[in-house]
PDB file of all heavy atoms in Angstrom:
ATOM      1  N   SER A   4      30.542  28.486  -4.296  1.00 86.00           N
ATOM      2  CA  SER A   4      31.157  29.357  -3.312  1.00 86.00           C
ATOM      3  C   SER A   4      30.519  30.734  -3.420  1.00 86.00           C
ATOM      4  O   SER A   4      30.529  31.337  -4.486  1.00 86.00           O
ATOM      5  CB  SER A   4      32.659  29.451  -3.577  1.00 86.00           C
ATOM      6  OG  SER A   4      33.222  30.491  -2.827  1.00 86.00           O
ATOM      7  N   VAL A   5      29.941  31.192  -2.307  1.00 93.00           N
ATOM      8  CA  VAL A   5      29.417  32.548  -2.232  1.00 93.00           C
ATOM      9  C   VAL A   5      30.131  33.226  -1.076  1.00 93.00           C
ATOM     10  O   VAL A   5      29.918  32.887   0.079  1.00 93.00           O
ATOM     11  CB  VAL A   5      27.893  32.578  -2.014  1.00 93.00           C
ATOM     12  CG1 VAL A   5      27.410  34.016  -1.857  1.00 93.00           C
ATOM     13  CG2 VAL A   5      27.173  31.894  -3.168  1.00 93.00           C
ATOM     14  N   GLU A   6      31.012  34.146  -1.411  1.00 94.00           N
ATOM     15  CA  GLU A   6      31.763  34.882  -0.399  1.00 94.00           C
ATOM     16  C   GLU A   6      31.045  36.192  -0.118  1.00 94.00           C
ATOM     17  O   GLU A   6      30.656  36.904  -1.041  1.00 94.00           O
ATOM     18  CB  GLU A   6      33.178  35.171  -0.900  1.00 94.00           C
ATOM     19  CG  GLU A   6      34.028  35.913   0.092  1.00 94.00           C
ATOM     20  CD  GLU A   6      35.417  36.204  -0.431  1.00 94.00           C
ATOM     21  OE1 GLU A   6      35.942  35.409  -1.240  1.00 94.00           O
ATOM     22  OE2 GLU A   6      35.974  37.244  -0.046  1.00 94.00           O
ATOM     23  N   VAL A   7      30.852  36.485   1.162  1.00 96.00           N
ATOM     24  CA  VAL A   7      30.182  37.715   1.571  1.00 96.00           C
ATOM     25  C   VAL A   7      31.171  38.538   2.392  1.00 96.00           C
ATOM     26  O   VAL A   7      31.710  38.055   3.383  1.00 96.00           O
ATOM     27  CB  VAL A   7      28.919  37.413   2.393  1.00 96.00           C
ATOM     28  CG1 VAL A   7      28.257  38.700   2.868  1.00 96.00           C
ATOM     29  CG2 VAL A   7      27.936  36.560   1.579  1.00 96.00           C
ATOM     30  N   THR A   8      31.401  39.781   1.965  1.00 95.00           N
ATOM     31  CA  THR A   8      32.330  40.674   2.656  1.00 95.00           C
ATOM     32  C   THR A   8      31.613  41.976   2.991  1.00 95.00           C
ATOM     33  O   THR A   8      31.006  42.595   2.114  1.00 95.00           O
ATOM     34  CB  THR A   8      33.559  40.975   1.766  1.00 95.00           C
ATOM     35  OG1 THR A   8      34.186  39.738   1.433  1.00 95.00           O
ATOM     36  CG2 THR A   8      34.542  41.875   2.482  1.00 95.00           C
ATOM     37  N   PHE A  20      23.055  35.927   3.303  1.00 95.00           N
ATOM     38  CA  PHE A  20      23.331  36.298   1.909  1.00 95.00           C
ATOM     39  C   PHE A  20      24.046  35.173   1.161  1.00 95.00           C
ATOM     40  O   PHE A  20      23.833  34.988  -0.034  1.00 95.00           O
ATOM     41  CB  PHE A  20      24.101  37.614   1.851  1.00 95.00           C
ATOM     42  CG  PHE A  20      23.208  38.779   2.151  1.00 95.00           C
ATOM     43  CD1 PHE A  20      23.049  39.214   3.458  1.00 95.00           C
ATOM     44  CD2 PHE A  20      22.492  39.392   1.151  1.00 95.00           C
ATOM     45  CE1 PHE A  20      22.192  40.268   3.749  1.00 95.00           C
ATOM     46  CE2 PHE A  20      21.630  40.444   1.427  1.00 95.00           C
ATOM     47  CZ  PHE A  20      21.482  40.884   2.739  1.00 95.00           C
ATOM     48  N   LEU A  28      21.112  30.787  -7.294  1.00 89.00           N
ATOM     49  CA  LEU A  28      21.870  30.225  -8.409  1.00 89.00           C
ATOM     50  C   LEU A  28      21.453  28.782  -8.689  1.00 89.00           C
ATOM     51  O   LEU A  28      21.441  28.353  -9.845  1.00 89.00           O
ATOM     52  CB  LEU A  28      23.361  30.361  -8.149  1.00 89.00           C
ATOM     53  CG  LEU A  28      23.819  31.825  -8.054  1.00 89.00           C
ATOM     54  CD1 LEU A  28      25.296  31.911  -7.732  1.00 89.00           C
ATOM     55  CD2 LEU A  28      23.477  32.609  -9.306  1.00 89.00           C
ATOM     56  N   SER A  37      30.362  27.090  -9.451  1.00 81.00           N
ATOM     57  CA  SER A  37      30.485  28.513  -9.759  1.00 81.00           C
ATOM     58  C   SER A  37      30.761  29.326  -8.501  1.00 81.00           C
ATOM     59  O   SER A  37      30.452  28.906  -7.395  1.00 81.00           O
ATOM     60  CB  SER A  37      29.203  29.014 -10.427  1.00 81.00           C
ATOM     61  OG  SER A  37      28.979  28.306 -11.625  1.00 81.00           O
ATOM     62  N   ASP A  38      31.336  30.508  -8.692  1.00 87.00           N
ATOM     63  CA  ASP A  38      31.682  31.384  -7.583  1.00 87.00           C
ATOM     64  C   ASP A  38      30.998  32.738  -7.727  1.00 87.00           C
ATOM     65  O   ASP A  38      30.856  33.266  -8.830  1.00 87.00           O
ATOM     66  CB  ASP A  38      33.194  31.609  -7.529  1.00 87.00           C
ATOM     67  CG  ASP A  38      33.955  30.326  -7.261  1.00 87.00           C
ATOM     68  OD1 ASP A  38      33.540  29.561  -6.373  1.00 87.00           O
ATOM     69  OD2 ASP A  38      34.972  30.092  -7.942  1.00 87.00           O
ATOM     70  N   LEU A  39      30.613  33.304  -6.581  1.00 92.00           N
ATOM     71  CA  LEU A  39      29.961  34.606  -6.514  1.00 92.00           C
ATOM     72  C   LEU A  39      30.500  35.330  -5.290  1.00 92.00           C
ATOM     73  O   LEU A  39      30.728  34.713  -4.246  1.00 92.00           O
ATOM     74  CB  LEU A  39      28.443  34.423  -6.379  1.00 92.00           C
ATOM     75  CG  LEU A  39      27.605  35.647  -6.030  1.00 92.00           C
ATOM     76  CD1 LEU A  39      27.608  36.652  -7.180  1.00 92.00           C
ATOM     77  CD2 LEU A  39      26.178  35.221  -5.693  1.00 92.00           C
ATOM     78  N   THR A  40      30.675  36.636  -5.410  1.00 94.00           N
ATOM     79  CA  THR A  40      31.067  37.461  -4.268  1.00 94.00           C
ATOM     80  C   THR A  40      30.017  38.547  -4.078  1.00 94.00           C
ATOM     81  O   THR A  40      29.606  39.206  -5.038  1.00 94.00           O
ATOM     82  CB  THR A  40      32.447  38.115  -4.498  1.00 94.00           C
ATOM     83  OG1 THR A  40      33.413  37.084  -4.726  1.00 94.00           O
ATOM     84  CG2 THR A  40      32.869  38.939  -3.304  1.00 94.00           C
ATOM     85  N   VAL A  41      29.575  38.712  -2.832  1.00 97.00           N
ATOM     86  CA  VAL A  41      28.644  39.778  -2.464  1.00 97.00           C
ATOM     87  C   VAL A  41      29.387  40.692  -1.494  1.00 97.00           C
ATOM     88  O   VAL A  41      29.862  40.234  -0.453  1.00 97.00           O
ATOM     89  CB  VAL A  41      27.361  39.226  -1.806  1.00 97.00           C
ATOM     90  CG1 VAL A  41      26.419  40.364  -1.439  1.00 97.00           C
ATOM     91  CG2 VAL A  41      26.667  38.214  -2.712  1.00 97.00           C
ATOM     92  N   LEU A  42      29.502  41.958  -1.870  1.00 96.00           N
ATOM     93  CA  LEU A  42      30.221  42.943  -1.056  1.00 96.00           C
ATOM     94  C   LEU A  42      29.262  44.033  -0.602  1.00 96.00           C
ATOM     95  O   LEU A  42      28.399  44.460  -1.378  1.00 96.00           O
ATOM     96  CB  LEU A  42      31.347  43.579  -1.874  1.00 96.00           C
ATOM     97  CG  LEU A  42      32.352  42.599  -2.459  1.00 96.00           C
ATOM     98  CD1 LEU A  42      32.648  42.930  -3.895  1.00 96.00           C
ATOM     99  CD2 LEU A  42      33.604  42.620  -1.623  1.00 96.00           C
ATOM    100  N   PHE A  43      29.439  44.487   0.618  1.00 97.00           N
ATOM    101  CA  PHE A  43      28.659  45.600   1.138  1.00 97.00           C
ATOM    102  C   PHE A  43      29.611  46.777   1.334  1.00 97.00           C
ATOM    103  O   PHE A  43      30.613  46.653   2.053  1.00 97.00           O
ATOM    104  CB  PHE A  43      27.970  45.216   2.455  1.00 97.00           C
ATOM    105  CG  PHE A  43      26.911  44.181   2.252  1.00 97.00           C
ATOM    106  CD1 PHE A  43      27.221  42.830   2.321  1.00 97.00           C
ATOM    107  CD2 PHE A  43      25.602  44.549   1.973  1.00 97.00           C
ATOM    108  CE1 PHE A  43      26.258  41.870   2.113  1.00 97.00           C
ATOM    109  CE2 PHE A  43      24.623  43.590   1.761  1.00 97.00           C
ATOM    110  CZ  PHE A  43      24.948  42.247   1.828  1.00 97.00           C
ATOM    111  N   TYR A  44      29.316  47.900   0.672  1.00 97.00           N
ATOM    112  CA  TYR A  44      30.173  49.081   0.707  1.00 97.00           C
ATOM    113  C   TYR A  44      29.403  50.281   1.252  1.00 97.00           C
ATOM    114  O   TYR A  44      28.193  50.412   1.042  1.00 97.00           O
ATOM    115  CB  TYR A  44      30.656  49.441  -0.704  1.00 97.00           C
ATOM    116  CG  TYR A  44      31.832  48.659  -1.230  1.00 97.00           C
ATOM    117  CD1 TYR A  44      32.323  47.523  -0.596  1.00 97.00           C
ATOM    118  CD2 TYR A  44      32.445  49.054  -2.406  1.00 97.00           C
ATOM    119  CE1 TYR A  44      33.400  46.826  -1.114  1.00 97.00           C
ATOM    120  CE2 TYR A  44      33.523  48.357  -2.932  1.00 97.00           C
ATOM    121  CZ  TYR A  44      33.997  47.238  -2.274  1.00 97.00           C
ATOM    122  OH  TYR A  44      35.061  46.551  -2.797  1.00 97.00           O
ATOM    123  N   MET A  66      25.548  47.332  -7.667  1.00 94.00           N
ATOM    124  CA  MET A  66      26.294  47.253  -8.924  1.00 94.00           C
ATOM    125  C   MET A  66      26.729  45.808  -9.116  1.00 94.00           C
ATOM    126  O   MET A  66      27.021  45.103  -8.146  1.00 94.00           O
ATOM    127  CB  MET A  66      27.518  48.172  -8.900  1.00 94.00           C
ATOM    128  CG  MET A  66      27.164  49.644  -8.844  1.00 94.00           C
ATOM    129  SD  MET A  66      28.626  50.713  -8.938  1.00 94.00           S
ATOM    130  CE  MET A  66      29.066  50.517 -10.672  1.00 94.00           C
ATOM    131  N   SER A  67      26.748  45.376 -10.351  1.00 93.00           N
ATOM    132  CA  SER A  67      27.156  44.013 -10.690  1.00 93.00           C
ATOM    133  C   SER A  67      28.346  44.049 -11.627  1.00 93.00           C
ATOM    134  O   SER A  67      28.367  44.835 -12.572  1.00 93.00           O
ATOM    135  CB  SER A  67      26.000  43.277 -11.373  1.00 93.00           C
ATOM    136  OG  SER A  67      24.876  43.234 -10.534  1.00 93.00           O
ATOM    137  N   PHE A  68      29.305  43.170 -11.348  1.00 92.00           N
ATOM    138  CA  PHE A  68      30.514  43.081 -12.163  1.00 92.00           C
ATOM    139  C   PHE A  68      30.689  41.637 -12.624  1.00 92.00           C
ATOM    140  O   PHE A  68      31.241  40.816 -11.901  1.00 92.00           O
ATOM    141  CB  PHE A  68      31.734  43.545 -11.347  1.00 92.00           C
ATOM    142  CG  PHE A  68      31.645  44.982 -10.922  1.00 92.00           C
ATOM    143  CD1 PHE A  68      31.129  45.325  -9.678  1.00 92.00           C
ATOM    144  CD2 PHE A  68      32.062  45.993 -11.779  1.00 92.00           C
ATOM    145  CE1 PHE A  68      31.039  46.650  -9.285  1.00 92.00           C
ATOM    146  CE2 PHE A  68      31.972  47.327 -11.388  1.00 92.00           C
ATOM    147  CZ  PHE A  68      31.454  47.650 -10.138  1.00 92.00           C
ATOM    148  N   MET A  70      31.988  38.256 -14.499  1.00 82.00           N
ATOM    149  CA  MET A  70      33.314  37.730 -14.834  1.00 82.00           C
ATOM    150  C   MET A  70      33.233  36.849 -16.081  1.00 82.00           C
ATOM    151  O   MET A  70      33.694  37.230 -17.130  1.00 82.00           O
ATOM    152  CB  MET A  70      33.884  36.941 -13.656  1.00 82.00           C
ATOM    153  CG  MET A  70      34.156  37.805 -12.435  1.00 82.00           C
ATOM    154  SD  MET A  70      35.430  39.030 -12.690  1.00 82.00           S
ATOM    155  CE  MET A  70      36.862  38.018 -12.605  1.00 82.00           C
ATOM    156  N   ILE A  85      33.059  31.555 -12.910  1.00 77.00           N
ATOM    157  CA  ILE A  85      33.036  32.637 -11.927  1.00 77.00           C
ATOM    158  C   ILE A  85      31.950  33.610 -12.362  1.00 77.00           C
ATOM    159  O   ILE A  85      32.058  34.255 -13.400  1.00 77.00           O
ATOM    160  CB  ILE A  85      34.406  33.334 -11.835  1.00 77.00           C
ATOM    161  CG1 ILE A  85      35.480  32.335 -11.407  1.00 77.00           C
ATOM    162  CG2 ILE A  85      34.335  34.506 -10.861  1.00 77.00           C
ATOM    163  CD1 ILE A  85      36.884  32.888 -11.448  1.00 77.00           C
ATOM    164  N   LEU A  86      30.900  33.681 -11.568  1.00 85.00           N
ATOM    165  CA  LEU A  86      29.773  34.535 -11.914  1.00 85.00           C
ATOM    166  C   LEU A  86      30.174  36.006 -11.856  1.00 85.00           C
ATOM    167  O   LEU A  86      29.947  36.755 -12.792  1.00 85.00           O
ATOM    168  CB  LEU A  86      28.603  34.245 -10.977  1.00 85.00           C
ATOM    169  CG  LEU A  86      27.265  34.814 -11.370  1.00 85.00           C
ATOM    170  CD1 LEU A  86      26.841  34.341 -12.748  1.00 85.00           C
ATOM    171  CD2 LEU A  86      26.215  34.448 -10.343  1.00 85.00           C
ATOM    172  N   GLY A  87      30.776  36.431 -10.755  1.00 90.00           N
ATOM    173  CA  GLY A  87      31.223  37.810 -10.631  1.00 90.00           C
ATOM    174  C   GLY A  87      30.983  38.357  -9.247  1.00 90.00           C
ATOM    175  O   GLY A  87      30.812  37.613  -8.281  1.00 90.00           O
ATOM    176  N   ASP A  88      30.951  39.689  -9.166  1.00 94.00           N
ATOM    177  CA  ASP A  88      30.798  40.393  -7.892  1.00 94.00           C
ATOM    178  C   ASP A  88      29.542  41.253  -7.913  1.00 94.00           C
ATOM    179  O   ASP A  88      29.203  41.848  -8.936  1.00 94.00           O
ATOM    180  CB  ASP A  88      31.985  41.328  -7.636  1.00 94.00           C
ATOM    181  CG  ASP A  88      33.318  40.604  -7.556  1.00 94.00           C
ATOM    182  OD1 ASP A  88      33.324  39.384  -7.287  1.00 94.00           O
ATOM    183  OD2 ASP A  88      34.353  41.264  -7.771  1.00 94.00           O
ATOM    184  N   ILE A  89      28.912  41.332  -6.745  1.00 96.00           N
ATOM    185  CA  ILE A  89      27.788  42.240  -6.526  1.00 96.00           C
ATOM    186  C   ILE A  89      28.194  43.153  -5.387  1.00 96.00           C
ATOM    187  O   ILE A  89      28.684  42.685  -4.357  1.00 96.00           O
ATOM    188  CB  ILE A  89      26.513  41.467  -6.134  1.00 96.00           C
ATOM    189  CG1 ILE A  89      26.091  40.514  -7.243  1.00 96.00           C
ATOM    190  CG2 ILE A  89      25.379  42.438  -5.795  1.00 96.00           C
ATOM    191  CD1 ILE A  89      25.046  39.521  -6.802  1.00 96.00           C
ATOM    192  N   VAL A  90      27.986  44.450  -5.556  1.00 97.00           N
ATOM    193  CA  VAL A  90      28.280  45.425  -4.506  1.00 97.00           C
ATOM    194  C   VAL A  90      26.962  46.091  -4.112  1.00 97.00           C
ATOM    195  O   VAL A  90      26.251  46.609  -4.976  1.00 97.00           O
ATOM    196  CB  VAL A  90      29.298  46.478  -4.977  1.00 97.00           C
ATOM    197  CG1 VAL A  90      29.622  47.445  -3.847  1.00 97.00           C
ATOM    198  CG2 VAL A  90      30.564  45.815  -5.511  1.00 97.00           C
ATOM    199  N   ILE A  91      26.651  46.066  -2.822  1.00 97.00           N
ATOM    200  CA  ILE A  91      25.395  46.621  -2.301  1.00 97.00           C
ATOM    201  C   ILE A  91      25.729  47.718  -1.296  1.00 97.00           C
ATOM    202  O   ILE A  91      26.636  47.565  -0.480  1.00 97.00           O
ATOM    203  CB  ILE A  91      24.558  45.517  -1.621  1.00 97.00           C
ATOM    204  CG1 ILE A  91      24.158  44.452  -2.645  1.00 97.00           C
ATOM    205  CG2 ILE A  91      23.320  46.114  -0.933  1.00 97.00           C
ATOM    206  CD1 ILE A  91      23.512  43.216  -2.049  1.00 97.00           C
ATOM    207  N   ALA A 115      20.391  41.960  -3.805  1.00 97.00           N
ATOM    208  CA  ALA A 115      21.316  40.852  -4.075  1.00 97.00           C
ATOM    209  C   ALA A 115      20.783  39.997  -5.227  1.00 97.00           C
ATOM    210  O   ALA A 115      21.533  39.624  -6.136  1.00 97.00           O
ATOM    211  CB  ALA A 115      21.522  40.013  -2.818  1.00 97.00           C
ATOM    212  N   GLY A 118      21.150  41.913  -8.471  1.00 96.00           N
ATOM    213  CA  GLY A 118      22.532  41.853  -8.936  1.00 96.00           C
ATOM    214  C   GLY A 118      22.870  40.505  -9.554  1.00 96.00           C
ATOM    215  O   GLY A 118      23.556  40.440 -10.582  1.00 96.00           O
ATOM    216  N   MET A 119      22.402  39.415  -8.941  1.00 95.00           N
ATOM    217  CA  MET A 119      22.652  38.081  -9.507  1.00 95.00           C
ATOM    218  C   MET A 119      22.012  37.937 -10.876  1.00 95.00           C
ATOM    219  O   MET A 119      22.622  37.370 -11.798  1.00 95.00           O
ATOM    220  CB  MET A 119      22.134  36.993  -8.562  1.00 95.00           C
ATOM    221  CG  MET A 119      22.991  36.792  -7.333  1.00 95.00           C
ATOM    222  SD  MET A 119      22.326  35.485  -6.278  1.00 95.00           S
ATOM    223  CE  MET A 119      21.925  36.437  -4.824  1.00 95.00           C
ATOM    224  N   LEU A 122      24.123  39.584 -13.362  1.00 92.00           N
ATOM    225  CA  LEU A 122      25.291  38.755 -13.663  1.00 92.00           C
ATOM    226  C   LEU A 122      24.943  37.612 -14.613  1.00 92.00           C
ATOM    227  O   LEU A 122      25.802  37.124 -15.345  1.00 92.00           O
ATOM    228  CB  LEU A 122      25.906  38.199 -12.375  1.00 92.00           C
ATOM    229  CG  LEU A 122      26.549  39.222 -11.440  1.00 92.00           C
ATOM    230  CD1 LEU A 122      27.042  38.531 -10.171  1.00 92.00           C
ATOM    231  CD2 LEU A 122      27.679  39.980 -12.123  1.00 92.00           C
TER     232      LEU A 122
END
Side-chain angles (χ1 to χ4, degrees):
S4 168
V5 177
E6 181 181 329
V7 178
T8 302
F20 285 90
L28 297 177
S37 300
D38 297 315
L39 169 68
T40 302
V41 180
L42 303 135
F43 292 90
Y44 279 11
M66 294 184 73
S67 301
F68 298 94
M70 295 295 284
I85 299 173
L86 193 57
D88 299 338
I89 298 167
V90 182
I91 297 171
M119 286 181 244
L122 293 177

